[in-house]
Structure formats: C-alpha cells, structure tokens
Amino acid sequence: MKLPFLGSIPNRVIDERFLEHRRRSSTFAVMAGALASGGLFEYHLLRQHRIDWELFSVLASMVVVKLAALAWFRLTD
C-alpha cells in the first residue's frame, strides 16, 4: 500500500499487516482503558457511595465516540 503523503520518498511501501496490527492493538488498548475506568467508577459508586463524575465523563465520551463512529462507517460504507 502506497501512502500519498509520502510521495516524495521513492519506494516507500507500508505493509497492510502492519496497519492491521496497529489498529487491533489500539482497539485492545482502548478496551482495557474502558474496563479500568469503568471498574474504578463502579468501585467509587459501590464502596465509597459517591459518583466520580470525571470517570463517568470519560466513559460517556468513549461511548459517544464509539457510537458516532459506528453510525458514520455504517452510513458511508
């Protein structure tokens, strides 16, 4: 796969497997972060009986971005 923004560098080819591995590892990292922040939110809610709004906003933004991307890819594909 040739990338258009690397046009000035001759014979610059990016392997699709590399891009797929990078995409999959980023997905795993995001899911691990979501589970960790969700676990912390539940801990604060159930053990300390308080709502940690910062963690809630992180989880809510992750859900909104995920659903927006899902809708975008569904409508444009």
Side-chain angles (χ1 to χ4, degrees):
M1 170 180 183
K2 290 189 177 185
L3 300 176
F5 57 86
L6 295 176
S8 63
I9 303 172
N11 298 327
R12 186 71 156 173
V13 177
I14 302 294
D15 189 14
E16 285 88 5
R17 292 175 295 174
F18 168 75
L19 294 175
E20 180 63 18
H21 292 159
R22 190 173 71 176
R23 184 191 65 81
R24 292 173 84 191
S25 65
S26 297
T27 301
F28 285 133
V30 167
M31 290 308 298
L35 287 173
S37 61
L40 281 173
F41 178 77
E42 289 291 326
Y43 172 77
H44 288 299
L45 184 63
L46 297 176
R47 293 290 182 188
Q48 297 176 351
H49 305 291
R50 68 180 180 92
I51 296 175
D52 194 351
W53 291 107
E54 292 86 8
L55 287 173
F56 178 77
S57 65
V58 169
L59 289 170
S61 66
M62 293 175 96
V63 168
V64 167
V65 169
K66 175 71 176 178
L67 292 176
L70 179 70
W72 172 261
F73 292 136
R74 177 75 174 135
L75 292 174
T76 60
D77 191 18

